[in-house]
Amino acid sequence: MKETMNHILALKNASLEDPIAKLDDAALERLRNPPREPVVIDSPNIWHSISSYFALEHASELIYVPALALRLSATRRWVSGDSTF
């Protein structure tokens, strides 16, 4: 219970200016003023990574081995030099 309360108090007192966080001015600027336009992702590899993440985001540990096999398969594909879609 004490540990939980300490965690709650730490969250309540959190600040972007916390010296422990050591955020530089550029990071603070990005947090305070995030981009307002949609992000353009034109890399098929990035799309694959994001799609895989969302597909497995809430998957149980039972999916770990098949997902690992999928990753190895994708790696072999790109290492072979055929990265076209």
Side-chain angles (χ1 to χ4, degrees), residues 3-15:
E3 185 176 331
T4 301
M5 285 306 299
N6 287 339
H7 185 71
I8 291 170
L9 288 174
L11 288 173
K12 181 180 176 186
N13 297 322
S15 167

Side-chain angles (χ1 to χ4, degrees), residues 34-43 46-47 50:
R36 301 212 184 271
E37 64 276 349
V39 175
V40 176
I41 301 172
D42 50 5
S43 166
I46 299 296
W47 270 113
I50 293 170

Side-chain angles (χ1 to χ4, degrees), residues 3-85:
E3 185 176 331
T4 301
M5 285 306 299
N6 287 339
H7 185 71
I8 291 170
L9 288 174
L11 288 173
K12 181 180 176 186
N13 297 322
S15 167
L16 291 176
E17 287 80 20
D18 185 349
I20 294 174
K22 298 178 184 169
L23 296 173
D24 62 20
D25 291 339
L28 288 171
E29 177 65 23
R30 286 190 306 271
L31 285 169
R32 290 186 176 120
N33 301 300
R36 301 212 184 271
E37 64 276 349
V39 175
V40 176
I41 301 172
D42 50 5
S43 166
N45 296 334
I46 299 296
W47 270 113
H48 173 75
S49 298
I50 293 170
S51 298
S52 297
Y53 172 80
F54 282 123
L56 301 171
E57 182 179 15
H58 297 294
S60 70
E61 291 181 17
L62 295 174
I63 197 68
Y64 178 77
V65 172
L68 182 59
L70 177 65
R71 183 182 69 101
L72 292 173
S73 174
T75 300
R76 280 192 296 272
R77 180 177 184 275
W78 277 295
V79 167
S80 73
D82 180 18
S83 62
T84 57
F85 281 84

